[in-house]
Amino acid sequence: MKTIQAYRFALDLTAGQERDVLAHAGAARVAHNWALAKVKAVMDQRTAERSYGVPDERLTPSLSWSLAGLRKAWNAAKPDVAPWWAEVSKEAFNTGLDALARGLKNWADSRTGKRAGRPVGFPRFKSRRRTTASVRFTTGAIRVEPDRMHVVLPRLGRLKLHESARKLGRRLEAGAARIMSATVRRDGGRWHVSFTVEVERAERGPARPGVVVGVDVGITHLAVLSTGEMVGNPRHLVAAQRRMRALGRALSRKAGPDRRTGQRASKRWERAAARLGRAHARVANLRRDGLHKLTTRLATTYGTIVVEDLNVTGMLANRKLARHIADAGFAEIRRQLAYKTTWNGAGLLVADRWYPSSKTCSGCGAVKTKLALHEREFACEMCGLVIDRDRNAALNLAALAAQFDTAGSGPVAARGADQKTRVRGQVATKREPGTASAGQTGTVPPQGRTIDRALTKAH
């Protein structure tokens, strides 16, 4: 099975190498800003000409927004705009132009309705001091050295890694991987190189292919499984909050930049900002590491995983819980499970966000009208079942898998509910496995749009 996979490694750059990378990132910014200014100038000129009554055939010729069109315009103007263009790789300019081409396309598709989700704004100019330094290489000498502690990139030469690249090196030597591109980026005060690699992965299967597990994510416990296992929430952001507040206060006492007066930040402010950035990066790295370990264990263990389609954006509107919800990384759990289940031969099912997994009794299928957030135990008024709220939701999610032909899952008790909980009264609609109507199953639409379906299949 061929798949696209990323390998990310930290770099140990010398002062000269860091200057070279910053020069490439600056070249990408210059090309992006020049092309954006050109696009805006042509758009404004055509708008003004139309207001004067100029016919369309006599308007100023439009500028192509494709990468090829922007690159052609840049190559014609670069001797005057950037006379130093030969000092950096052509991939640096291509990085900025490609980012602009994708931004313009996303903006146009969003306006015409071709792109789902939130409206996309028009591209903005990149600031020299606030833009994250990054450059992407797609052609030229891109390789991992035999010692697996160095990489070679075009014009930048041989760069030392902070960690061994043996995992990628083994695949390259065996002919099971092909590097497609490499991106150098400064993140959290450190430089990293990310390789986009086409990997030939061997067919694998989970350790327990016939087991269905429901996963209910939350704040008290990061994940509660239908098997009874409760994965604790490490709350990395809360643990680091005291230090981050101290660093933030120290930063506020320094002379920072002022955009109104043009005042530049002091060196002390820059060092304090770097310390605060490293603290944030450490929290992000700890969170990323924990989520990868959890999702890898789930994808390599269970044959079918059932999760909810949570409205994370709406949940973040809760001011009291927004920080904890963002720290847990609900959306990241589902994103990682989506591709890791494919790699390991498992299945991922996504329950519709309107399915009342927490309000439904896992014993009899009765649905409560109301269930306050502070009620951590589910007490059924119909059958008398008392169970942990999250465990009850996980059991209901696991039972939903019976609506699909899940190999080896076996029969489950009939249960289910309407799409939305009614305003008053209890709903105890019960369905036998496989008897759901056609309007209650289907495929999840792109870009996370929701539809009135009880269960969606991720892949």
Side-chain angles (χ1 to χ4, degrees), residues 21-262:
V21 177
L22 286 173
H24 281 71
R29 177 182 55 82
V30 169
H32 175 278
N33 289 347
W34 176 88
L36 178 57
K38 187 73 172 178
V39 169
K40 288 175 66 68
V42 172
M43 292 177 62
D44 294 342
Q45 179 65 24
R46 290 171 63 89
T47 301
E49 291 173 353
R50 286 194 181 96
S51 66
Y52 300 150
V54 178
D56 291 346
E57 61 272 8
R58 298 184 60 185
L59 293 177
T60 299
S62 60
L63 179 64
S64 174
W65 290 359
S66 66
L67 176 58
L70 295 177
R71 187 190 294 122
K72 181 178 180 181
W74 167 257
N75 288 335
K78 67 183 180 182
D80 299 326
V81 177
W84 40 264
W85 64 269
E87 300 177 7
V88 297
S89 172
K90 64 176 183 179
E91 294 293 333
F93 306 116
N94 193 73
T95 300
L97 298 176
D98 181 58
L100 178 60
R102 287 185 284 107
L104 291 170
K105 181 179 184 303
N106 292 338
W107 173 73
D109 291 346
S110 179
R111 291 191 64 189
T112 57
K114 296 181 181 179
R115 178 185 174 92
R118 289 184 173 183
V120 178
F122 193 80
R124 294 183 293 181
F125 292 99
K126 293 183 179 294
S127 168
R128 176 171 174 262
R129 298 189 178 277
R130 293 187 300 274
T131 303
T132 300
S134 176
V135 60
R136 181 169 178 256
F137 300 93
T138 58
T139 60
I142 305 175
R143 66 176 184 270
V144 178
E145 292 287 75
D147 62 357
R148 297 169 182 171
M149 288 300 297
H150 294 82
V151 296
V152 175
L153 298 177
R155 296 301 295 265
L156 298 179
R158 193 167 182 259
L159 308 179
K160 186 179 184 300
L161 296 177
H162 186 73
E163 52 190 328
S164 176
R166 58 182 178 274
K167 289 186 178 181
L168 176 58
R170 291 168 184 167
R171 289 185 179 272
L172 292 173
E173 292 176 1
R178 179 175 65 90
I179 297 178
M180 303 176 65
S181 66
T183 302
V184 180
R185 176 188 174 93
R186 184 168 58 187
D187 185 18
R190 296 212 60 169
W191 288 96
H192 296 81
V193 57
S194 298
F195 293 98
T196 301
V197 185
E198 184 183 50
V199 180
E200 181 70 32
R201 300 185 65 91
E203 296 293 337
R204 300 177 60 182
R208 303 168 66 183
V211 178
V212 179
V213 62
V215 181
D216 181 75
V217 296
I219 297 176
T220 304
H221 295 92
L222 181 60
V224 176
L225 310 186
S226 58
T227 59
E229 179 185 355
M230 295 186 177
V231 181
N233 187 0
R235 303 192 181 210
H236 299 296
L237 184 60
V238 175
Q241 201 67 37
R242 183 176 180 181
R243 170 172 169 76
M244 294 173 69
R245 284 173 180 164
L247 292 174
R249 287 194 298 267
L251 178 64
S252 66
R253 290 191 291 266
K254 308 294 189 296
D258 191 336
R259 297 177 62 184
R260 295 171 299 178
T261 62

Side-chain angles (χ1 to χ4, degrees), residues 248-456:
R249 287 194 298 267
L251 178 64
S252 66
R253 290 191 291 266
K254 308 294 189 296
D258 191 336
R259 297 177 62 184
R260 295 171 299 178
T261 62
Q263 174 183 324
R264 296 180 58 177
S266 66
K267 294 298 183 181
R268 290 172 181 249
W269 186 93
E270 292 179 352
R271 289 194 293 268
R275 285 193 292 269
L276 182 59
R278 287 194 294 269
H280 278 284
R282 182 176 184 275
V283 172
N285 291 335
L286 289 172
R287 182 189 301 117
R288 186 183 301 113
D289 179 69
L291 295 182
H292 271 295
K293 290 178 179 177
L294 171 62
T295 54
T296 298
R297 179 166 64 87
L298 292 175
T300 57
T301 303
Y302 302 103
T304 303
I305 304 172
V306 188
V307 296
E308 288 181 291
D309 178 23
L310 296 176
N311 181 16
V312 179
T313 303
M315 296 168 68
L316 291 175
N318 188 330
R319 294 177 57 190
K320 296 182 178 180
L321 299 177
R323 178 183 298 168
H324 303 287
I325 293 172
D327 188 25
F330 295 161
E332 184 66 10
I333 293 177
R334 176 178 166 183
R335 187 193 72 85
Q336 292 182 12
L337 285 174
Y339 68 85
K340 290 185 180 181
T341 50
T342 304
W343 290 356
N344 295 278
L348 177 65
L349 301 179
V350 181
D352 184 83
R353 65 179 51 177
W354 298 115
Y355 175 70
S357 59
S358 298
K359 299 179 182 180
T360 304
C361 177
S362 58
C364 66
V367 181
K368 282 193 172 185
T369 304
K370 297 290 183 180
L371 185 63
L373 188 61
H374 67 270
E375 298 180 39
R376 303 316 303 169
E377 282 192 345
F378 180 90
C380 181
E381 300 175 0
M382 303 292 291
C383 65
L385 176 67
V386 179
I387 188 175
D388 179 81
R389 173 198 182 111
D390 297 333
R391 173 77 190 287
N392 178 69
L395 289 172
N396 287 324
L397 291 175
L400 278 175
Q403 297 185 16
F404 283 80
D405 185 15
T406 305
S409 62
V412 296
R415 64 194 67 179
D418 290 346
Q419 297 307 307
K420 298 181 182 180
T421 306
R422 300 185 189 277
V423 176
R424 58 183 181 275
Q426 290 187 334
V427 182
T429 305
K430 301 172 70 174
R431 294 188 292 269
E432 296 293 339
T435 60
S437 60
Q440 293 171 335
T441 59
T443 304
V444 65
Q447 298 295 329
R449 287 182 294 170
T450 58
I451 49 178
D452 290 334
R453 292 168 180 167
L455 193 65
T456 57

